[in-house]
Amino acid sequence: MNGAAAALRALARSGAPALLWRTVLVACLVCGIGLLPWLSRTDPALTVLRARSADRDPDPETLRAIRDQLGLDDGPLRLLGRWLGGLLHGDAGTSWVSGGPVLPGLVPALGVSLLLMAGALMVAAATAAAVCARTLRLGARGRLADRRPGGTATAVLAALPEFLVASVLVSVIGVQLGWLPALGWYGPQWMVLPSLAVGLPAGAVLGRMLDDLLPGAFAEPWAVAAAARGVPPKSVARQAVRRCVPGLLPNLALFVVGLTGGSVAVEQIFDIPGIGRLTLHAALSQDLPVLQTGTLALVLLAATAGALARVAARLLIGPALRDGALQSLHRPRPSAPRTLPLLYAGLLAAVIGFGLPRDPIALDTLARLRAPSAEHPFGTDALGRDMLARISHGALTTLGTALAVSAAALAVGLLLGLLPRLSGPLVDTLSAVPPVLAGLLVTGILGSGSWTPAFAVAVVAWSPLAAHTSALLRQERATTHLTATRALGAGRWYLLVRELLPAVAPPVARHALLRLPGVALSLAALGFLGLGAQPPSPDWGLLLAENQPYAERAPWAVLFPAAVLALLGALAVTAAGGARLPRRRTRPAGPSGPPADPVAPAPPRRPGRATADLTSVSASPTEER
C-alpha cells in the first residue's frame, strides 16, 4: 500500500494528470466546434452558400452539390476524423468557403496578430507604469501615508471599449489630423493606432492590479530596512515591482491570448488580417476547418503563455516559495474616507432617474440626430429617439445582468482558483476561446434565450479571476505567518477560512469589479451579433454599436453612452475600497475639555500574522514568527 501511494504521488508530481486533463479539454473543445452546425440546428450547406455568395438562390440542387462537395452527409464524426487524420500529417484541410488550404492562410494571420499583440503589450506596459508611477514614487521614499485613494482615471480608461477607442483614434488622428495611417497593415506606421486601441484598456487593468499590490510590498521588512540604510529609491521601487509581478503573470498570459485572438473589433475597424478576424468570419460562416485550426492555434498559444508565466514566477520569487519565506502582500488595514463612490453612485442614479419617465422607443423622424437641448438633454439618435431615455431604461437590464454575471464569475473563480491543478488547464483552454465563439457554442447547445448571452459570458469571465486567485494563493501559502500558524497546530480548514481566503478574496473582488464594465460590453456584443438582446432594446452596448456610424456627425450619440459606461467603471473601482464620509474634526472646548479627535483603535492582530508599519523599524525574525 505504501508503495502504491508513493507511486501515485510521484505520478502526480510528474504532471501526467494535468497533461491528460489538458488533452481531454482540448479534445472536447475541438469536438464541440466540429459539432457546431449540428448543435445549432442549422443547415451548414446553406450557411456556406451564403458565405460564398449572398445573392445566389439556395435551390435544392445547389445545396445538394455543396453537401456532396464537403461530405456533409457522412456526419460530423467522420468529418472530424478526417480533419484530425490530416492534421497529424501537417494538413489542416481545405476551407469550406474559399476552397483553398487552411494553413497557408492561417499562418500569416497568426503572425499579424502576434505582431499586433507585441505592440499592444508595449503600450500596456507603458500605461501600467504611468498608473503606478505615483505609488512607486511615494512608496520608495516611505511616504505612502500621503497617498490618497484614486483610480478614477484608470477606471474610466479600463471601462472604455476597444472598438470605441479605435473609432476615436481613426476619426481624429487618422482622418482629421492625418498623422498616422488609419486602415490597412503595410508597415510599422500602421501598427501605432491599433496598438494604442488594444493596449490602453489592457494596461489600465494591469496597472490597477499592480497598484493594488505595491503598498503591501513597500510595507515588508526588507523595504523598510532598505529605506533606513539609504538604498536609492529607484532600487527599492524596482525590487517592489519584482516582488509584485509574479502575482500578475498568469493574468498577463491571459492578456497575451486575449490580445491575439480577441481583438476582433479592432481588426475589423483597422482592416487588419489577423487571426481573430479570421476566426470570427469562420465561426459566422461555419467554416469548420478554418475555425478548428484557428482555435487549436490559440489553445497552443495559451498553453505556452501559461507555462512561461509559471516558470517566470518561480524564477522571480526564487527559493522563497519552497522555503515559506515570503511576507503577505495583503495585510488588513483600516479603510480611508472615500466619498467618490457616493458621488459616482449619485450621478449614475440621477441619470437613470431623470430618464426613466421618458419613452425609450418613441420615434420622431423630424428630430433625427438632434444635438443636446432642454427637450433632449443627451440628444437623439438616428431614428429620433431620446438618448437619455434609452440610456436610463438600458441601465436596468445592462447593470442587473452584468452584476449577476460578475458575481457568478467571482464565486466560480475563487472556488476553482483554490484548486490550481484542476483549474489551470481549464483556464488555459477557455482563455483561448473568444467570447463570440463561446456565445455561438452556448447558443447552439442551449438555444436562443434572454439568459443565453449571460451564460456564455459567464463561461469565460471566471478564468482571469481563477488565475489571479491561484497566483495569489501560491504566494500566500509560502508566507512566514502561515508557516508559523501551521506549526502551532492549525488545520487545513482553519488556514483556508481564517488565513488564505481573507488575504486572497479582497484583491480578486476588486479585480472582478474592475472587469464589470467589460462584462456589460461582452453581453451587448453578443446581443448585437444576434445572440441576445435585439433592437429596439436600449442595451448600452447596442447603443454604442448602433450610433458608431454617426460618431462624426453626431458625436453625442456615442459620447453619452460611453460616458455612462465610464462612470460605471469609476464607481466599480472606487467602491472596491469601501465608501464612508470623513469624520468631522472638533476643537476642544478648553483645557479640561475632551480630546479633539480620539485616535481610532488599531485593528486586532490576527493570530500568527506579522504586521509592519511603514514608519517603524522592522520587527525581529522571532517576533515575526
Side-chain angles (χ1 to χ4, degrees):
M1 291 296 294
N2 293 334
L8 290 176
R9 286 194 295 269
L11 181 64
R13 286 194 297 267
S14 67
L19 180 60
L20 179 61
W21 175 228
R22 191 183 303 272
T23 304
V24 170
L25 291 174
V26 174
C28 293
L29 177 61
V30 173
C31 292
I33 294 174
L35 295 174
L36 180 61
W38 289 268
L39 290 175
S40 59
R41 294 173 291 277
T42 59
D43 187 0
L46 179 60
T47 307
V48 171
L49 176 62
R50 290 175 178 173
R52 290 178 178 178
S53 177
D55 299 332
R56 192 171 180 180
D57 186 21
D59 56 86
E61 295 181 359
T62 303
L63 296 178
R64 184 65 184 177
I66 293 178
R67 290 192 187 94
D68 294 339
Q69 178 188 0
L70 302 180
L72 296 177
D73 293 336
D74 295 338
L77 296 181
R78 290 188 178 182
L79 289 174
L80 182 61
R82 284 200 295 266
W83 178 78
L84 290 175
L87 193 64
L88 295 177
H89 297 85
D91 181 15
T94 303
S95 171
W96 287 2
V97 176
S98 65
V102 173
L103 285 181
L106 184 68
V107 173
L110 179 60
V112 168
S113 293
L114 290 176
L115 190 59
L116 175 61
M117 177 266 294
L121 282 181
M122 295 176 61
V123 174
T127 305
V131 171
C132 302
R134 186 168 178 270
T135 301
L136 286 172
R137 185 176 65 255
L138 295 177
R141 290 169 172 80
R143 295 167 49 194
L144 275 180
D146 301 334
R147 174 176 172 261
R148 294 182 179 180
T152 303
T154 307
V156 171
L157 185 58
L160 292 178
E162 294 177 353
F163 69 85
L164 180 61
V165 177
S167 301
V168 172
L169 293 177
V170 166
S171 60
V172 176
I173 298 179
V175 177
Q176 296 181 4
L177 299 178
W179 291 348
L180 292 169
L183 299 177
W185 189 263
Y186 306 105
Q189 293 181 347
W190 281 262
M191 284 184 56
V192 179
L193 294 183
S195 299
L196 288 173
V198 177
L200 285 175
V205 175
L206 287 175
R208 182 68 188 182
M209 294 171 62
L210 179 59
D211 193 70
D212 188 47
L213 294 175
L214 283 173
F218 284 120
E220 290 184 343
W222 68 265
V224 179
R229 293 181 62 88
V231 176
K234 290 184 178 180
S235 300
V236 178
R238 185 167 56 251
Q239 294 301 323
V241 172
R242 179 180 177 180
R243 173 69 179 89
C244 298
V245 162
L248 302 180
L249 283 176
N251 274 276
L252 182 60
L254 296 183
F255 272 110
V256 167
V257 182
L259 295 178
T260 305
S263 306
V264 181
V266 174
E267 292 180 356
Q268 288 278 75
I269 293 174
F270 289 99
D271 195 21
I272 299 175
I275 191 172
R277 182 182 177 188
L278 181 66
T279 306
L280 174 63
H281 290 173
L284 296 178
S285 61
Q286 295 186 357
D287 192 353
L288 294 188
V290 176
L291 181 58
Q292 291 173 156
T293 308
T295 305
L296 185 60
L298 291 176
V299 168
L300 294 177
L301 176 64
T304 304
L308 291 177
R310 288 188 288 270
V311 171
R314 291 186 177 276
L315 291 177
L316 285 174
I317 297 178
L321 272 179
R322 182 188 67 247
D323 299 338
L326 292 178
Q327 296 290 325
S328 177
L329 291 178
H330 307 283
R331 293 184 175 88
R333 56 183 182 271
S335 60
R338 298 171 65 91
T339 57
L340 284 178
L342 304 177
L343 175 62
Y344 296 145
L347 289 176
L348 188 59
V351 170
I352 297 174
F354 280 118
L356 284 179
R358 300 170 178 262
D359 190 353
I361 60 175
L363 302 179
D364 187 359
T365 56
L366 299 179
R368 297 175 64 250
L369 300 178
R370 289 277 182 90
S373 61
E375 183 181 1
H376 303 288
F378 285 4
T380 61
D381 63 2
L383 298 178
R385 295 172 296 191
D386 186 76
M387 288 298 301
L388 177 58
R390 293 185 63 75
I391 291 174
S392 300
H393 285 265
L396 301 179
T397 56
T398 303
L399 294 182
T401 308
L403 285 173
V405 171
S406 298
L410 175 61
V412 175
L414 281 174
L415 179 61
L416 293 182
L418 298 176
L419 305 172
R421 293 185 180 179
L422 173 66
S423 62
L426 191 58
V427 167
D428 293 341
T429 304
L430 289 180
S431 64
V433 181
V436 174
L437 179 56
L440 292 174
L441 290 174
V442 172
T443 304
I445 297 174
L446 301 179
S448 299
S450 58
W451 284 98
T452 299
F455 186 79
V457 174
V459 166
V460 296
W462 63 268
S463 57
L465 305 179
H468 195 190
T469 302
S470 298
L472 297 179
L473 180 68
R474 186 182 305 113
Q475 296 189 57
E476 197 68 25
R477 291 174 62 184
T479 54
T480 54
H481 79 271
L482 198 71
T483 304
T485 307
R486 189 184 296 113
L488 292 174
R492 292 186 176 182
W493 182 253
Y494 179 90
L495 293 175
L496 176 64
V497 175
R498 300 294 299 273
E499 298 291 340
L500 294 177
L501 278 180
V504 171
V508 178
R510 291 190 288 269
H511 184 189
L513 284 173
L514 190 63
R515 290 184 175 271
L516 177 61
V519 170
L521 277 176
S522 299
L523 293 169
L526 292 178
F528 183 70
L529 292 174
L531 303 177
Q534 294 296 306
S537 172
D539 191 271
W540 286 358
L542 288 178
L543 297 183
L544 288 170
E546 290 174 349
N547 296 307
Q548 182 184 351
Y550 310 100
E552 295 185 10
R553 180 182 174 186
W556 56 84
V558 176
L559 178 61
F560 284 111
V564 176
L565 187 65
L567 182 61
L568 171 63
L571 172 62
V573 173
T574 54
R580 65 182 178 90
L581 295 174
R583 298 181 60 182
R584 187 175 180 179
R585 303 181 65 89
T586 58
R587 295 183 179 274
S592 61
D597 190 9
V599 179
R605 185 186 300 265
R606 288 161 55 187
R609 179 178 291 274
T611 58
D613 192 289
L614 285 174
T615 58
S616 64
V617 181
S618 61
S620 64
T622 305
E623 292 174 342
E624 291 184 29
R625 291 183 177 272

